[in-house]
Amino acid sequence: MLTRQKAQKDGILDDLGIDTIVNFWPKLDQNLESRWVLHMATNSSRAMLDEDIRLMAETVALLLEVGRTVLVLCEAGKTRSVYFSILVVSFYFDINYTEALKYVEERVPNHRLKNFMLEELHDG
């Protein structure tokens, strides 16, 4: 998404009604000034276990409750963004991590969650 031209990005985001972006990719996209961007650069998948990430996931769940439309992205869209989405789903639907993992896996079957992430979800 971040590698596309501004007009193309705006068109896609407008078509999908996305007004909020959570970006875990270290690069900051200057072309998204018309959106609310939560930039949480994480160079390491392990950083996703930080308490700040859980707090942000809870915040994003609240944003969804008030009608925001959120796009969560990282570089490949298979690890950090998937893990974060599981946290958000857990808070949003008030379900445990195992149920949230199942919900997200149905929608992103080719994820690449790390073993330590899966352990954290099952222990949490």
Side-chain angles (χ1 to χ4, degrees), residues 34-59:
S34 62
R35 319 270 171 208
W36 192 23
V37 178
L38 305 171
H39 186 233
M40 300 172 56
T42 53
N43 291 322
S44 147
S45 296
R46 273 214 190 268
M48 297 306 293
L49 303 184
D50 291 348
E51 183 60 26
D52 290 348
I53 299 296
R54 287 186 198 277
L55 292 171
M56 188 55 67
E58 191 169 9
T59 301

Side-chain angles (χ1 to χ4, degrees), residues 4-15 31 35:
R4 297 177 188 254
Q5 297 297 318
K6 179 179 177 11
Q8 189 178 25
K9 280 186 259 191
D10 284 340
I12 292 167
L13 296 170
D14 288 344
D15 288 347
N31 290 329
R35 319 270 171 208

Side-chain angles (χ1 to χ4, degrees), residues 10-22:
D10 284 340
I12 292 167
L13 296 170
D14 288 344
D15 288 347
L16 295 172
I18 293 170
D19 54 27
T20 305
I21 298 169
V22 178

Side-chain angles (χ1 to χ4, degrees), residues 6 9 19 31 35 50 58 60 66 74 79 81 85 98 121 124:
K6 179 179 177 11
K9 280 186 259 191
D19 54 27
N31 290 329
R35 319 270 171 208
D50 291 348
E58 191 169 9
V60 170
V66 298
C74 60
T79 306
S81 59
S85 295
T98 302
L121 292 169

